[in-house]
Amino acid sequence: MADMAKYVYYFGAGKAEGTAQMKELLGGKGANLAEMNNLNIPVPAGFTISTEVCTWYYDHDLQYPADLDEQVVDALSRVERGMDANFGDASDPLLLSIRSGSRSSMPGMMDTILNLGLNDTTVEGLIEQSGDARFAYDSYRRFVQMYGDVVMGVRPEGKDDHDPFEVILEAKKQANGVEQDVDLSAEDLKSLVTEYKTMVKVRTGHNFPDDPHEQLWGAIGAVFGSWNNERAIVYRKLNNIPDEWGTAVNVQAMVYGNMGDDCATGVAFSRDPATGEKVFYGEYLKNAQGEDVVAGTRTPVQIEHLDADMPEAYAQLIDIYKKLETHYKDMQDFEFTIQRNKLWMLQTRVGKRTGFAAIRIAVDMVEEGLINEEEALRRVEPDQLNQLLRPVFDVDEKRKAEEAGCVLAKGLNAGPGAASGKVVFNAHDAEEWANRGDRVILVRIETSPEDIRGMNAADGILTARGGMTSHAALVARQMGKICVAGCSALDINYQTRQMTVSGRVIKEGEYISIDGTTGEVIEGAIPTIPSEVLQVLQEKTLVPEQSQIFRQYDHLMKWADKVRRLKIRTNADQPDQSATARVFGAEGIGLCRTEHMFFEEDRIDAMREMILAEDESGRRVALAKLLPIQRADFTSIFEVMDGYPVTIRTLDPPLNEFLPHEDEAIEQLAGHMGVAAQTLKKKVEDLKETNPMLGHRGCRLGIVYPEITEMQTRAIFEAASDCQKRGIQVIPEIMIPLVGHVNELKLQADIVRQTAEAVKAETGIEVAYHVGTMIELPRAALTANEIAEVAEFFSFGTNDLTQTTFGLSRDDANFLPDYLQREIWPEDPFVSIDLNGVGELVKIGVERGRSVRPDIKIGICGEHGGDPASVEFCHRMGLDYVSCSPFRVPIARLAAARAALEG
Ligand code: PEP
Ligand code: MG
């Protein structure tokens, strides 16, 4: 029987009808107010109207359930008794605050009304109680202003209009020759109330309500109404909060922190929300209202000074915060008011925190016995680890730059961390300038494999075009470079070596700073601080005992490793990247992109020679030059990865990526190689493809030019034999890319096996190895059962699989931001696996592959391997490992652990 339902939940004086568990019904704020009462913490009495009423209200044409009125009246009289004051009373009026409160916090999105219950009669009672007419009239005029705005809709009409209440207030100040609100007298404020009410009547045609009960219902309706205001709707969308949840309404007795010098108000945290340190952290203001602390009109005082100001209240506050934290077993963020030396708690909730703080608090709380290791893993979002690994901007310096208007633009936060340096516009300069000791930011319209060395030399990379899996983004993450990609506001001119952005011209050599965590591009240099984790693990300039941050990181990672099932590998093609990944805990290489090895100065020539060769024998001559170089590369990688598997992929990109495209560069190269410029131009022309991503690449290269696969395989096995001979444990896995038909794999696998046999015959050393394939085309996933007849392992190349499933070019998806903005896709499918499409193909691939070869090893090596949501998906699909860029290895370890905890 709906009419008998309970809609209103009272709390006050150590008793409450709700509990912290009732968030769905009472909203976060209401549930915690109830809980604090249950814990005997002083909270002004009040009641919560449940979220069910909100839903009912919207389902019934903005009407309330029949019983609500009676339940509100009843609860209100309990509040009156609890606070020993009466609503509407002429000498000791109870005044109320009306606040929203949904299940999940939506800060500032919905409406609040304070000082409700004031009228020309009750204000006299407030004067009597407070002994302060100015205070009483100031409360009254604030109430009329808030109520007029929120309930009666009196607010600026056009975007150029001023707030009508502020206009009257300004005029009053001018008329009295004062600058600050506080300089207005009680009389001035009293006449403001009248002027406000007159203006409200003129604008709305309605009298401002004097009856406190009418005021109360108006306010309740406005709070329910604010659930559907525009900003609340937008916030819900952004934060995935369902529209059906609705808000609760909290009606609570007002207490005042601005009744004199024995009053105060403040906000505090049970630990430092920025660092996580176990210290009481907060701020307060004497003789002030809550909004004064937040608004920054007066500078608040550090909480510890309260001890001297109001020792009793301070001691009580200390007891309360400890009690709250022990009870909730998490860091609390709370608001309090001290009225006439009496402390009141107004709200408590789990506090928001930085990545640093999240990790420190989780680890400390395990050590304190408050939570267990598994709960600690649940408390840290994998991406928060980023903050521990990257250099960061000095916070104060960055704020200064922001305040000085130095933020130029925003792009995609492709490679997290902070970098500052001189702008250069090409890879060559990046290298040269870096070699002479400059810190540089390489700014390109987009990057290509030719830029690799410059990218490596730069501290940061900034591009105007490209998404999260653009070349710049992918390579930057793998290198651990700070990168902002796709910053379309940049107008870059390579010729004049300058860029224009936000009307400002930045020339080569000028300083900029980029924040790869937020995507901001900032003019000027901002100092950075290196990550302590890296100082311990990689640079070895710190020992663990010297770094608390490192020790916390290390604890968390060890706990994660205990529970995760997925193995974590890395995408690396250089020994230094492999070494970085190892110190981050990588358990092997899941993808070594061999083409990245061909761009160094001494190799690109041989590569180009191979491409330009007329026939097979010409190609073999050039390949013979590449062989020792590749062998040396593989040797150093095997050395670093001693005892761990190394998946090496045969050549993948279209050959034209290895040739220059501009006339001048072509002519230069022709001269260098001793061929006619025309010949070279023709070759470049021949190799040009309309859709190179779908063209002659992947295994199609090795099929047309088997000698390339042969040379690469030989280099792998010669290196492996050599390492094995020296006692290094090598576990090579040779991976064939872009297979769409099992016959492609058969041909390539035959070459690999024959070459392995040949090397074995020459060296007398038998190296155990596996041959497998990437599953990165829909046809490969669909025919995985056929492919698994040949493949000994699968690795899902979800970059290409996303590209080919969506029919969407990785390099040309300029419309992607529009799609995301219009929510056609909930997320960038190159960042997080598209579960319904690409994910379904992965599922099919796994099922069909295992149906033929039940123990087939399956991993993923697309960029998704480092995305926590995708890692969770891989865990559910029963994959054996994920492979990601070195700096994402710790993130994947934690994500895999959290996925295992989810079951
Ligand atoms: C992939 O396609 O997911 C992959 C890892 O290969 P690449 O990004 O080199 O094409
Ligand atoms: Mg691929």
Side-chain angles (χ1 to χ4, degrees):
M1 290 202 305
D3 282 352
M4 295 298 287
K6 184 168 177 58
Y7 297 119
V8 176
Y9 293 76
Y10 170 78
F11 54 83
K15 282 198 198 71
E17 294 174 328
T19 67
Q21 277 69 49
M22 292 163 68
K23 283 204 172 65
E24 291 184 13
L25 198 61
L26 304 181
K29 180 177 284 174
N32 285 334
L33 284 170
E35 190 78 359
M36 282 200 285
N37 264 288
N38 293 332
L39 292 170
N40 253 319
I41 288 171
V43 171
F47 56 87
T48 304
I49 306 175
S50 80
T51 55
E52 280 177 2
V53 177
C54 187
T55 317
W56 207 99
Y57 177 77
Y58 280 108
D59 286 351
H60 294 82
D61 222 5
L62 312 187
Q63 302 296 311
Y64 298 116
D67 266 5
L68 185 67
D69 190 42
E70 194 185 320
Q71 292 188 26
V72 166
V73 168
D74 194 42
L76 187 58
S77 66
R78 288 178 75 179
V79 177
E80 289 177 327
R81 287 198 298 277
M83 298 304 285
D84 204 13
N86 288 324
F87 195 46
D89 193 274
S91 61
D92 186 7
L94 170 72
L95 300 176
L96 299 173
S97 76
I98 321 293
R99 296 175 208 257
S100 60
S102 74
R103 264 193 237 184
S104 130
S105 133
M106 294 171 53
M109 294 301 126
M110 290 181 290
D111 291 328
T112 292
I113 291 156
L114 304 178
N115 304 321
L116 187 133
L118 279 173
N119 56 29
D120 292 347
T121 312
T122 54
V123 73
E124 296 299 331
L126 187 60
I127 296 173
E128 201 180 309
Q129 291 302 315
S130 64
D132 186 344
R134 198 196 166 280
F135 156 77
Y137 277 109
D138 192 42
S139 305
Y140 193 8
R141 73 102 193 157
R142 284 174 194 262
F143 165 60
V144 176
Q145 183 164 350
M146 262 189 184
Y147 194 94
D149 170 359
V150 170
V151 184
M152 304 183 77
V154 177
R155 54 185 75 124
E157 277 155 11
K159 68 178 165 44
D160 299 323
D161 293 351
H162 291 282
D163 180 323
F165 293 102
E166 291 297 327
V167 171
I168 297 175
L169 180 63
E170 272 315 305
K172 178 67 69 192
K173 284 195 282 190
Q174 266 189 11
N176 287 279
V178 301
E179 290 202 353
Q180 308 276 345
D181 298 6
V182 285
D183 297 325
L184 291 172
S185 68
E187 272 312 306
D188 297 334
L189 294 163
K190 187 175 177 181
S191 70
L192 260 185
V193 170
T194 315
E195 289 170 42
Y196 278 178
K197 286 185 175 178
T198 310
M199 184 270 289
V200 167
K201 171 82 201 237
V202 170
R203 290 180 67 130
T204 65
H206 295 289
N207 284 323
F208 188 90
D210 284 330
D211 174 9
H213 287 276
E214 189 185 339
Q215 291 174 0
L216 177 59
W217 282 103
I220 292 171
V223 172
F224 282 139
S226 69
W227 176 252
N228 271 345
N229 72 30
E230 206 182 303
R231 52 176 203 270
I233 293 174
V234 170
Y235 186 90
R236 286 204 292 278
K237 271 218 176 95
L238 289 175
N239 292 279
N240 296 321
I241 299 174
D243 290 341
E244 315 77 74
W245 280 6
T247 182
V249 178
N250 296 295
V251 177
Q252 196 177 13
M254 284 293 298
V255 286
Y256 291 94
N258 56 343
M259 267 191 187
D261 277 345
D262 52 359
C263 301
T265 187
V267 176
F269 296 82
S270 59
R271 305 197 182 206
D272 185 330
T275 64
E277 193 183 347
K278 194 180 180 193
V279 289
F280 187 33
Y281 179 93
E283 295 175 333
Y284 74 102
L285 274 174
K286 265 204 325 199
N287 196 9
Q289 312 189 79
E291 69 192 53
D292 299 335
V293 179
V294 190
T297 37
R298 281 163 60 191
T299 309
V301 182
Q302 292 305 308
I303 195 80
E304 50 276 14
H305 296 291
L306 188 64
D307 195 10
D309 272 344
M310 301 174 194
E312 265 172 50
Y314 183 71
Q316 202 187 351
L317 196 58
I318 298 276
D319 283 346
I320 289 175
Y321 99 74
K322 289 185 175 161
K323 190 174 188 175
L324 282 175
E325 201 185 76
T326 318
H327 180 72
Y328 283 100
K329 301 186 190 333
D330 203 348
M331 187 258 272
Q332 295 296 298
D333 159 2
F334 52 86
E335 290 173 18
F336 63 90
T337 282
I338 299 166
Q339 177 177 318
R340 303 256 155 90
N341 284 317
K342 174 156 177 46
L343 174 70
W344 295 100
M345 298 294 286
L346 301 184
Q347 125 159 6
T348 189
R349 59 186 170 195
V350 171
K352 296 251 185 299
R353 62 203 75 182
T354 64
F356 283 105
I359 293 160
R360 176 158 186 183
I361 292 170
V363 173
D364 283 354
M365 284 191 170
V366 171
E367 277 165 10
E368 291 160 26
L370 271 178
I371 58 173
N372 62 20
E373 294 172 6
E374 293 188 355
E375 179 58 22
L377 294 169
R378 288 193 189 97
R379 293 266 176 100
V380 182
E381 290 298 326
D383 274 324
Q384 287 182 312
L385 280 167
N386 257 328
Q387 287 183 23
L388 260 63
L389 306 180
R390 304 298 175 155
V392 289
F393 283 130
D394 184 311
V395 178
D396 291 334
E397 296 287 337
K398 184 175 173 197
R399 191 177 314 123
K400 271 192 227 156
E402 282 166 354
E403 283 167 5
C406 295
V407 177
L408 295 172
K410 214 166 168 190
L412 297 171
N413 50 343
S420 207
K422 292 181 181 169
V423 170
V424 290
F425 291 100
N426 64 65
H428 178 266
D429 288 348
E431 235 185 322
E432 200 171 288
W433 291 38
N435 281 342
R436 66 175 195 227
D438 281 325
R439 292 187 163 280
V440 298
I441 307 288
L442 174 61
V443 181
R444 299 287 294 164
I445 297 172
E446 59 197 348
T447 62
S448 75
E450 287 173 293
D451 297 325
I452 294 253
R453 284 182 307 144
M455 294 169 82
N456 201 22
D459 270 48
I461 297 152
L462 170 62
T463 65
R465 276 215 288 263
M468 293 296 265
T469 55
S470 62
H471 181 265
L474 185 146
V475 172
R477 279 198 294 276
Q478 181 159 323
M479 288 178 170
K481 293 284 172 197
I482 286 74
C483 176
V484 173
C487 183
S488 54
L490 309 181
D491 183 2
I492 298 171
N493 189 327
Y494 290 146
Q495 273 74 42
T496 56
R497 304 214 168 168
Q498 63 182 39
M499 63 175 169
T500 313
V501 49
S502 308
R504 268 175 274 182
V505 177
I506 310 275
K507 295 200 175 73
E508 177 186 76
E510 289 183 26
Y511 275 97
I512 60 164
S513 302
I514 58 173
D515 191 330
T517 312
T518 61
E520 287 161 299
V521 179
I522 303 164
E523 190 172 4
I526 304 177
T528 59
I529 312 164
S531 129
E532 285 186 19
V533 172
L534 273 173
Q535 289 183 46
V536 173
L537 286 176
Q538 200 171 39
E539 296 174 20
K540 310 243 188 276
T541 47
L542 269 186
V543 292
E545 294 70 40
Q546 288 172 304
S547 169
Q548 196 176 35
I549 290 178
F550 171 77
R551 291 200 308 276
Q552 286 151 9
Y553 160 87
D554 197 43
H555 277 305
L556 198 74
M557 286 293 105
K558 286 189 173 127
W559 299 336
D561 291 348
K562 271 200 249 174
V563 297
R564 72 184 158 90
R565 183 190 56 72
L566 277 172
K567 294 261 182 227
I568 313 296
R569 296 197 193 180
T570 193
N571 294 357
D573 33 68
Q574 304 288 339
D576 59 338
Q577 292 168 5
S578 313
T580 304
R582 279 290 303 125
V583 299
F584 283 145
E587 298 159 299
I589 290 182
L591 173 62
C592 172
R593 291 179 168 102
T594 51
E595 61 272 15
H596 286 176
M597 300 167 153
F598 289 130
F599 285 95
E600 294 289 321
E601 201 71 79
D602 55 339
R603 343 182 146 191
I604 187 81
D605 288 353
M607 187 65 189
R608 286 169 171 166
E609 205 181 307
M610 194 273 298
I611 295 170
L612 292 177
E614 295 283 332
D615 51 21
E616 186 187 329
S617 68
R619 275 192 296 279
R620 283 192 181 275
V621 172
L623 284 166
K625 294 184 192 166
L626 283 170
L627 176 72
I629 303 172
Q630 285 252 281
R631 188 171 53 218
D633 286 336
F634 296 139
T635 303
S636 12
I637 289 177
F638 286 138
E639 283 167 357
V640 176
M641 283 290 159
D642 186 0
Y644 292 99
V646 178
T647 306
I648 299 170
R649 179 178 75 183
T650 51
L651 194 64
D652 184 15
L655 294 182
N656 77 37
E657 284 198 6
F658 298 92
L659 295 177
H661 295 98
E662 276 137 32
D663 281 354
E664 200 184 328
I666 293 177
E667 274 155 31
Q668 243 178 21
L669 178 66
H672 176 71
M673 296 191 65
V675 296
Q678 262 332 94
T679 317
L680 188 56
K681 267 190 197 154
K682 171 142 193 334
K683 193 73 192 179
V684 171
E685 206 45 48
D686 288 350
L687 288 175
K688 209 160 133 193
E689 293 174 304
T690 311
N691 294 305
M693 273 287 144
L694 301 177
H696 195 189
R697 58 166 290 216
C699 65
R700 300 160 193 174
L701 289 170
I703 286 176
V704 175
Y705 308 117
E707 53 279 9
I708 301 179
T709 307
E710 191 187 314
M711 179 283 286
Q712 291 199 293
T713 311
R714 175 165 278 279
I716 293 168
F717 282 93
E718 288 181 357
S721 317
D722 169 57
C723 289
Q724 196 166 300
K725 198 164 67 189
R726 290 187 282 126
I728 295 161
Q729 195 192 349
V730 286
I731 310 172
E733 299 176 338
I734 293 88
M735 180 158 79
I736 310 300
L738 217 75
V739 164
H741 194 290
V742 65
N743 287 342
E744 294 173 306
L745 179 61
K746 268 188 198 149
L747 285 173
Q748 291 289 288
D750 283 349
I751 299 174
V752 173
R753 294 191 201 287
Q754 282 158 16
T755 312
E757 279 306 312
V759 176
K760 185 172 106 183
E762 290 158 25
T763 59
I765 295 172
E766 168 143 23
V767 174
Y769 67 96
H770 290 109
V771 188
T773 185
M774 296 190 72
I775 303 286
E776 49 185 346
L777 295 176
R779 193 179 190 286
L782 295 171
T783 61
N785 47 328
E786 293 169 18
I787 294 174
E789 298 277 0
V790 181
E792 292 170 308
F793 66 87
F794 283 172
S795 178
F796 283 94
T798 42
N799 300 334
D800 274 314
L801 193 57
T802 300
Q803 163 167 267
T804 49
T805 301
F806 278 81
L808 163 74
S809 161
R810 282 159 74 165
D811 295 334
D812 297 319
N814 298 335
F815 57 89
L816 210 134
D818 289 274
Y819 264 52
L820 296 176
Q821 203 197 348
R822 287 166 205 229
E823 296 179 39
I824 293 174
W825 298 326
E827 250 185 298
D828 183 340
F830 287 111
V831 172
S832 202
I833 286 188
D834 154 52
L835 296 181
N836 296 350
V838 177
E840 206 52 26
L841 282 169
V842 170
K843 188 163 171 248
I844 290 171
V846 171
E847 280 167 8
R848 297 193 182 168
R850 291 216 164 116
S851 72
V852 170
R853 200 187 281 266
D855 60 348
I856 188 169
K857 198 190 289 178
I858 304 182
I860 175 181
C861 64
E863 287 300 287
H864 306 88
D867 164 62
S870 309
V871 171
E872 207 227 302
F873 167 76
C874 293
H875 173 88
R876 276 192 279 121
M877 286 299 107
L879 261 54
D880 296 291
Y881 68 86
V882 298
S883 187
C884 56
S885 51
F887 277 74
R888 292 204 75 83
V889 167
I891 293 158
R893 282 162 76 189
L894 179 55
R898 287 165 52 108
L901 290 177
E902 288 299 308

Coordinates of all heavy atoms in Angstrom, one line a residue, residues 25 97 100 104 116-117 218 231 244 255 259 321-322 349 385 465 468 535 541 594 598 655 666-667 717 791 839 856:
L25 N 18.1 5.2 -0.6 CA 16.9 5.8 -0.2 C 17.1 7.2 0.3 O 16.3 8.1 0.1 CB 16.3 4.9 0.9 CG 14.8 5.1 1.2 CD1 14.0 4.7 0.0 CD2 14.4 4.2 2.4
S97 N 17.7 24.6 7.0 CA 18.4 24.5 5.7 C 17.8 23.4 4.9 O 17.4 22.4 5.5 CB 19.9 24.2 6.0 OG 20.1 22.9 6.3
S100 N 19.8 19.3 -1.2 CA 19.6 18.1 -2.0 C 20.6 17.0 -1.5 O 21.5 17.3 -0.7 CB 20.0 18.4 -3.4 OG 21.3 18.9 -3.5
S104 N 25.0 9.4 -5.2 CA 26.4 9.7 -5.4 C 26.5 11.2 -5.5 O 25.7 11.9 -6.1 CB 26.7 8.9 -6.7 OG 27.4 9.7 -7.6
L116 N 15.8 29.3 6.1 CA 14.4 29.2 5.8 C 13.5 29.3 7.1 O 13.9 28.7 8.1 CB 14.1 27.9 5.0 CG 12.7 27.8 4.5 CD1 12.7 27.4 3.0 CD2 11.8 26.9 5.3
G117 N 12.5 30.1 7.0 CA 11.6 30.3 8.1 C 11.6 31.7 8.6 O 10.9 32.1 9.5
G218 N 7.8 25.2 -0.8 CA 8.4 25.8 -2.0 C 9.8 25.3 -2.2 O 10.2 24.9 -3.3
R231 N 22.4 21.7 -15.5 CA 23.7 21.3 -15.1 C 23.7 19.9 -14.4 O 24.7 19.1 -14.6 CB 24.5 22.3 -14.3 CG 23.8 22.9 -13.1 CD 24.7 23.9 -12.4 NE 24.3 24.0 -11.0 CZ 23.4 24.8 -10.6 NH1 22.9 25.7 -11.4 NH2 23.0 24.9 -9.3
E244 N 17.1 7.8 -13.1 CA 16.0 7.3 -12.2 C 16.4 7.4 -10.7 O 15.5 7.2 -9.9 CB 15.7 5.8 -12.5 CG 15.6 5.4 -13.9 CD 16.9 5.3 -14.6 OE1 17.7 4.3 -14.3 OE2 17.2 6.2 -15.4
V255 N 22.4 26.0 12.1 CA 23.2 26.4 13.1 C 24.1 27.5 12.5 O 24.4 27.5 11.3 CB 24.1 25.3 13.8 CG1 23.2 24.4 14.6 CG2 24.8 24.5 12.7
M259 N 27.7 34.0 14.4 CA 27.0 34.8 15.4 C 28.0 35.5 16.4 O 27.6 35.9 17.5 CB 26.2 33.8 16.3 CG 24.7 33.7 15.8 SD 23.9 32.8 17.1 CE 22.3 32.5 16.2
Y321 N 36.7 13.2 14.5 CA 37.2 12.7 13.2 C 37.8 11.4 13.3 O 37.7 10.5 12.4 CB 38.2 13.8 12.6 CG 39.6 13.6 12.8 CD1 40.3 12.6 12.1 CD2 40.4 14.4 13.7 CE1 41.7 12.4 12.3 CE2 41.7 14.2 13.9 CZ 42.4 13.2 13.2 OH 43.7 13.0 13.4
K322 N 38.4 11.1 14.5 CA 39.0 9.8 14.6 C 37.9 8.7 14.7 O 38.0 7.6 14.0 CB 39.8 9.7 15.9 CG 41.1 10.5 15.8 CD 42.0 10.4 17.0 CE 43.3 11.1 16.8 NZ 44.0 11.4 18.0
R349 N 31.6 12.6 4.4 CA 31.6 11.7 3.3 C 33.0 11.2 3.0 O 34.0 11.8 3.5 CB 31.0 12.4 2.1 CG 31.8 13.6 1.7 CD 31.2 14.4 0.6 NE 31.9 15.7 0.4 CZ 31.4 16.7 -0.3 NH1 30.3 16.6 -0.9 NH2 32.1 17.8 -0.4
L385 N 47.9 5.3 -10.5 CA 49.3 5.0 -10.4 C 50.2 5.9 -11.2 O 51.4 6.1 -10.9 CB 49.6 3.5 -10.8 CG 49.3 2.4 -9.7 CD1 49.3 1.1 -10.4 CD2 50.3 2.5 -8.6
R465 N 47.5 16.9 -34.8 CA 46.5 15.9 -35.4 C 46.7 14.5 -34.8 O 47.8 14.2 -34.3 CB 46.7 15.8 -36.9 CG 46.0 16.9 -37.7 CD 45.5 16.3 -39.0 NE 46.6 16.1 -40.0 CZ 47.0 16.9 -40.9 NH1 46.4 18.1 -41.0 NH2 47.9 16.6 -41.8
M468 N 44.3 8.9 -29.9 CA 45.0 8.2 -28.8 C 45.8 7.0 -29.3 O 46.6 6.5 -28.6 CB 44.0 7.7 -27.7 CG 43.3 8.8 -27.0 SD 44.5 9.8 -26.1 CE 44.4 9.1 -24.5
Q535 N 63.2 7.0 -9.6 CA 64.6 7.2 -9.0 C 65.1 6.0 -8.3 O 66.3 5.7 -8.3 CB 64.5 8.4 -8.0 CG 64.3 9.7 -8.7 CD 64.3 10.9 -7.8 OE1 65.2 10.9 -6.9 NE2 63.4 11.8 -7.9
T541 N 69.1 6.4 -8.0 CA 69.6 7.5 -7.2 C 69.0 7.6 -5.9 O 69.4 8.4 -5.0 CB 69.3 8.8 -8.0 OG1 68.0 8.8 -8.4 CG2 70.2 9.0 -9.2
T594 N 59.5 -5.1 -34.9 CA 60.8 -5.0 -35.4 C 61.1 -3.8 -36.3 O 62.2 -3.4 -36.4 CB 61.1 -6.3 -36.2 OG1 60.1 -6.6 -37.1 CG2 61.3 -7.5 -35.3
F598 N 64.5 -0.3 -37.4 CA 65.1 0.0 -38.7 C 65.4 1.5 -38.9 O 65.8 1.9 -39.9 CB 64.3 -0.5 -39.8 CG 64.3 -2.0 -39.9 CD1 63.2 -2.7 -40.1 CD2 65.5 -2.7 -39.9 CE1 63.2 -4.1 -40.2 CE2 65.6 -4.1 -40.0 CZ 64.4 -4.8 -40.1
L655 N 56.0 -0.6 -46.9 CA 57.4 -0.2 -47.2 C 57.6 1.3 -47.4 O 58.6 1.8 -47.1 CB 58.0 -1.0 -48.4 CG 58.1 -2.5 -48.1 CD1 58.7 -3.2 -49.3 CD2 58.9 -2.8 -46.8
I666 N 64.0 13.4 -51.2 CA 64.2 12.3 -52.1 C 65.5 12.5 -52.9 O 66.3 11.6 -53.0 CB 63.0 12.2 -53.1 CG1 61.7 11.7 -52.4 CG2 63.3 11.2 -54.3 CD1 60.5 11.6 -53.2
E667 N 65.7 13.8 -53.3 CA 66.9 14.1 -54.0 C 68.1 13.9 -53.2 O 69.1 13.3 -53.6 CB 66.8 15.6 -54.6 CG 66.1 15.6 -55.9 CD 65.5 17.0 -56.2 OE1 66.1 18.0 -55.8 OE2 64.5 17.0 -56.9
F717 N 67.1 -16.4 -34.4 CA 67.7 -17.7 -33.9 C 69.2 -17.6 -33.7 O 69.7 -18.3 -32.8 CB 67.2 -18.8 -34.8 CG 65.8 -19.2 -34.5 CD1 64.8 -18.7 -35.2 CD2 65.5 -20.1 -33.5 CE1 63.4 -19.0 -34.9 CE2 64.2 -20.4 -33.2 CZ 63.2 -19.9 -33.9
A791 N 48.8 -22.0 -35.7 CA 49.3 -21.1 -34.7 C 49.5 -21.8 -33.3 O 48.5 -22.4 -32.8 CB 48.4 -19.9 -34.5
G839 N 35.0 -6.6 -28.9 CA 35.0 -7.6 -27.8 C 34.4 -8.9 -28.2 O 34.9 -10.0 -27.9
I856 N 46.1 -23.3 -26.2 CA 46.7 -22.3 -26.9 C 46.9 -21.0 -26.0 O 46.0 -20.7 -25.3 CB 45.9 -21.9 -28.2 CG1 46.7 -21.0 -29.1 CG2 44.6 -21.4 -27.9 CD1 46.2 -20.8 -30.5

